[in-house]
Amino acid sequence: MLTIKENARETIRGGSPDRFVNQYSYLGLVRDPIGVYAGCDLQPGETGTNGWGVKVTYPKNTPGQFPLCEGEDKLLKDITKWREIIKPCPTKFTEEQWLPYIEAAARIDRREYFVTASVYNGVLEKLHYFMGMEDTMINFYEEPEEMHALIDFIADWEIAAAEEIVSHLHPDALFHHDDWGSQRTSFLSPEMFEEFIEPAYKRIYGFWKENGVEIIIHHSDSYIANLIPSMIRMGIDVIQGPVYENNIPEILKEYGGRITVMAGLDNGKYDMEDWSREKIRNGLKELFAAAGTRYLIPCLTMGGPGSTYPGVYETVTEEIDALSKEYF
């Protein structure tokens, strides 16, 4: 029997796995002081301010936090003033501040799991956190030079942070958040995405891979099917969270072998107040019947090991384990 890590590698690399990779089970997720400072640790129902100065809220019964970018809550009201307004979060912390994160990484059995660094609010998310979605979209058209400059600034910060994380935690994998679309379409056309976003991630993900990271898992619980060629060029190994509208069977048919899909059960359909084990089991069976089992990690689309409603994530895990016995 393969270890959890070996089985995941066989799945992602097109080998011979002996069971399904079960959701996030192969990732030993670790945090770091840079991300903790830059983020905002909220509980459902709370509002606060993250390390960049963005006001964020965590509504109850939702999968995560959202920026407040209207009126006076908007941090960056004029893209041409970003150099005056946007100040980088610190990337340098003392060894004492790093110690609890180093100890957490050391407790993970690297024979069984990928020690996995985690980065939240990637390049596009930071843009709309800073200035709101409407201004972000308009500025791609009206202020492209400023947008290129701000994106380069964000990428430089991410690489500076990655350098510290790699040197302290020595991760095997990276789990990186950046939502790139709505349920039905990407926010940017493939051409605009290739111009603005792809170069930044080639630099960012290139740095991680040049420094010992084997697997890049990118989270975007949205429509991203039209962006997959860019994602492959960026160096993404696993796309986590793509929703039903992407047509996962078609993605795997066309791109299987170059990218792995980690999804299949949309939280908006299965992580509901009226959820049931039967519905989850049937959803998984429908997924495998349509998409097969290669280059596929069955998982909820939520960007982390959990669910909005208690018991959903655990039940999905149990059903995947049970179905492994049927399909392998």
Side-chain angles (χ1 to χ4, degrees):
M1 184 176 179
L2 297 170
T3 67
I4 295 172
K5 188 175 187 179
E6 289 169 343
N7 192 63
R9 187 180 285 121
E10 290 291 299
T11 298
I12 295 165
R13 300 306 184 205
S16 300
D18 58 21
R19 60 197 184 278
F20 287 119
V21 179
N22 198 326
Q23 304 205 87
Y24 288 89
S25 61
Y26 67 112
L27 303 180
L29 291 163
V30 291
R31 297 301 309 274
D32 60 82
I34 302 168
V36 170
Y37 183 95
C40 189
D41 187 15
L42 299 178
Q43 297 300 313
E46 294 181 343
T47 297
T49 302
N50 71 15
W52 293 89
V54 176
K55 190 174 181 180
V56 293
T57 188
Y58 191 167
K60 292 182 179 179
N61 297 323
T62 63
Q65 301 177 12
F66 298 89
L68 297 173
C69 305
E70 298 296 328
E72 289 305 310
D73 286 333
K74 186 182 297 184
L75 179 64
L76 180 59
K77 300 176 178 65
D78 181 348
I79 182 65
T80 66
K81 307 294 185 183
W82 73 264
R83 294 169 185 83
E84 303 165 24
I85 303 298
I86 307 299
K87 304 302 178 185
C89 285
T91 58
K92 299 290 186 180
F93 289 83
T94 67
E95 294 305 308
E96 183 179 3
Q97 289 171 310
W98 272 102
L99 185 58
Y101 304 98
I102 294 171
E103 290 176 341
R107 289 193 291 269
I108 297 170
D109 184 352
R110 289 178 183 260
R111 295 168 299 180
E112 285 283 346
Y113 310 101
F114 290 93
V115 173
T116 305
S118 50
V119 175
Y120 300 91
N121 302 131
V123 174
L124 187 56
E125 287 187 12
K126 277 190 173 62
L127 292 173
H128 75 74
Y129 266 53
F130 292 159
M131 66 186 93
M133 184 60 75
E134 293 84 357
D135 284 5
T136 297
M137 296 296 104
I138 291 168
N139 285 327
F140 278 118
Y141 289 95
E142 295 190 347
E143 296 287 350
E145 291 184 2
E146 293 292 351
M147 291 293 276
H148 275 297
L150 180 52
I151 288 168
D152 286 343
F153 167 84
I154 294 169
D156 288 343
W157 180 85
E158 280 221 17
I159 291 168
E163 186 173 9
E164 293 297 313
I165 296 167
V166 164
S167 66
H168 285 90
L169 303 181
H170 311 288
D172 308 306
L174 170 67
F175 182 51
H176 195 293
H177 272 231
D178 202 15
D179 286 336
W180 288 335
S182 69
Q183 186 172 338
R184 298 183 181 277
T185 185
S186 59
F187 294 135
L188 301 178
S189 69
E191 295 78 15
M192 186 169 280
F193 188 88
E194 183 177 351
E195 177 187 346
F196 286 93
I197 305 300
E198 182 180 322
Y201 275 104
K202 281 182 174 177
R203 291 176 55 210
I204 293 165
Y205 288 157
F207 180 89
W208 285 96
K209 287 206 165 181
E210 288 163 7
N211 287 273
V213 167
E214 178 183 348
I215 304 294
I216 302 286
I217 305 105
H218 185 99
H219 164 82
S220 181
D221 52 347
S222 62
Y223 181 85
I224 46 76
N226 58 341
L227 305 179
I228 288 182
S230 275
M231 296 167 64
I232 292 170
R233 292 192 294 268
M234 290 173 182
I236 292 171
D237 299 287
V238 179
I239 174 63
Q240 190 278 321
V243 294
Y244 174 84
E245 284 73 12
N246 287 279
N247 195 336
I248 290 172
E250 285 299 313
I251 290 177
L252 293 177
K253 181 179 179 181
E254 185 169 357
Y255 299 106
R258 289 180 284 171
I259 200 164
T260 294
V261 173
M262 181 177 169
L265 293 182
D266 292 14
N267 281 72
K269 297 176 181 177
Y270 296 92
D271 187 11
M272 307 291 287
E273 191 171 7
D274 62 348
W275 71 273
S276 71
R277 181 179 294 272
E278 181 181 11
K279 187 176 179 182
I280 288 168
R281 183 186 303 119
N282 290 338
L284 288 167
K285 287 184 175 181
E286 290 171 8
L287 172 67
F288 302 143
T293 62
R294 289 177 60 79
Y295 304 109
L296 175 64
I297 298 174
C299 187
L300 288 166
T301 52
M302 190 167 177
S307 54
T308 302
Y309 290 89
V312 173
Y313 184 85
E314 293 77 10
T315 301
V316 172
T317 296
E318 292 167 4
E319 290 300 317
I320 292 171
D321 275 342
L323 288 170
S324 278
K325 298 178 176 66
E326 296 183 24
Y327 287 86
F328 290 88

